[in-house]
Amino acid sequence: MYAAGEKLVHIREDEQGFTLPEVLTTIAILGILIAIAIIIWLGLLEQRRVDAATNQLVSDLRLAHTRAANQLTDWRVVLVPEKSEEGQGPDYHMVRLKAPYPGSAPEVDKTTSRTFPANVKVVNIAGALDAATVSGWDRPPSVIGTTRTLEFNSDGTMRFYQAVSGSTCITVDGNPQNRVTVLAATSRVKVEAGSC
């Protein structure tokens, strides 16, 4: 039999640690798993930003519709697709008109500019209503025909100016993306994920 001290020495002589290739392989596998996790996490963050921006726009569209009916005046939501490359400026404006107007240039009572979270933007959806000569989208909210405008009228109706069926796309560089569609007959707002 071994004495107590001898047994410990014998166990330590038989033990072996990890070899250098085993340690390096483990570190490489962990590095790959961490890189995959970071990529997935960043994708989820972008999707959350697009969803937050979509919810913000949908809420403001509903708010404009409600205010138009309650205050008995027209409200507009003027989108600014593909703002400047520096990312400066608002993504859309909420505009209260002084009174319902008969088709001429309206008088603006109040304008509130709204901006989406980091790198999220409104993207132009080209269609039959778009004029080929339109050079830019950031126009004064009172100029109809050159802006992508959704107008909510005091009688509950709605009109589009330069909008394709009231649709627009909210995205971060094309992916992820959400399509927001407003139906003129009912002023219903519909969101479709990934269908721009």
Side-chain angles (χ1 to χ4, degrees), residues 81-145:
E82 300 174 19
K83 59 186 179 181
S84 67
E85 291 178 13
E86 297 84 28
Q88 302 298 320
D91 290 293
Y92 63 98
H93 307 277
M94 290 186 63
V95 180
R96 178 181 177 204
L97 304 179
K98 284 191 177 180
Y101 65 96
S104 62
E107 289 186 50
V108 175
D109 183 32
K110 177 182 172 186
T111 300
T112 305
S113 298
R114 304 278 289 168
T115 305
F116 291 140
N119 299 332
V120 179
K121 59 187 172 188
V122 176
V123 177
N124 179 25
I125 300 174
L129 297 178
D130 291 332
T133 59
V134 175
S135 60
W137 291 99
D138 197 5
R139 300 277 190 252
S142 61
V143 179
I144 60 173

Side-chain angles (χ1 to χ4, degrees), residues 4-190:
E6 292 176 15
K7 190 173 186 180
L8 286 175
V9 170
H10 181 68
I11 292 174
R12 286 187 182 156
E13 288 175 1
D14 290 343
E15 284 185 4
Q16 294 182 5
F18 294 106
T19 64
L20 182 60
E22 290 173 335
V23 171
L24 293 177
T25 302
T26 303
I27 291 172
I29 290 172
L30 281 174
I32 291 169
L33 291 175
I34 289 171
I36 291 170
I38 288 172
I39 290 169
I40 291 172
W41 184 68
L42 291 175
L44 288 173
L45 281 179
E46 282 188 350
Q47 182 63 50
R48 297 283 182 194
R49 281 190 211 121
V50 169
D51 289 345
T54 302
N55 290 336
Q56 174 184 325
L57 179 61
V58 167
S59 295
D60 283 343
L61 288 170
R62 290 179 179 150
L63 179 64
H65 179 253
T66 302
R67 285 183 175 172
N70 289 342
Q71 297 173 358
L72 297 176
T73 189
D74 294 347
W75 275 80
R76 288 181 170 184
V77 177
V78 181
L79 303 174
V80 183
E82 300 174 19
K83 59 186 179 181
S84 67
E85 291 178 13
E86 297 84 28
Q88 302 298 320
D91 290 293
Y92 63 98
H93 307 277
M94 290 186 63
V95 180
R96 178 181 177 204
L97 304 179
K98 284 191 177 180
Y101 65 96
S104 62
E107 289 186 50
V108 175
D109 183 32
K110 177 182 172 186
T111 300
T112 305
S113 298
R114 304 278 289 168
T115 305
F116 291 140
N119 299 332
V120 179
K121 59 187 172 188
V122 176
V123 177
N124 179 25
I125 300 174
L129 297 178
D130 291 332
T133 59
V134 175
S135 60
W137 291 99
D138 197 5
R139 300 277 190 252
S142 61
V143 179
I144 60 173
T146 57
T147 59
R148 192 162 287 260
T149 302
L150 294 89
E151 182 177 277
F152 298 91
N153 304 113
S154 57
D155 61 1
T157 60
M158 184 184 159
R159 286 189 270 190
F160 307 120
Y161 298 105
Q162 292 291 344
V164 182
S165 302
S167 295
T168 193
C169 187
I170 300 172
T171 185
V172 176
D173 298 325
N175 192 17
Q177 57 189 4
N178 288 337
R179 183 179 190 138
V180 177
T181 305
V182 183
L183 305 174
T186 60
S187 296
R188 179 176 176 253
V189 180
K190 185 171 99 175

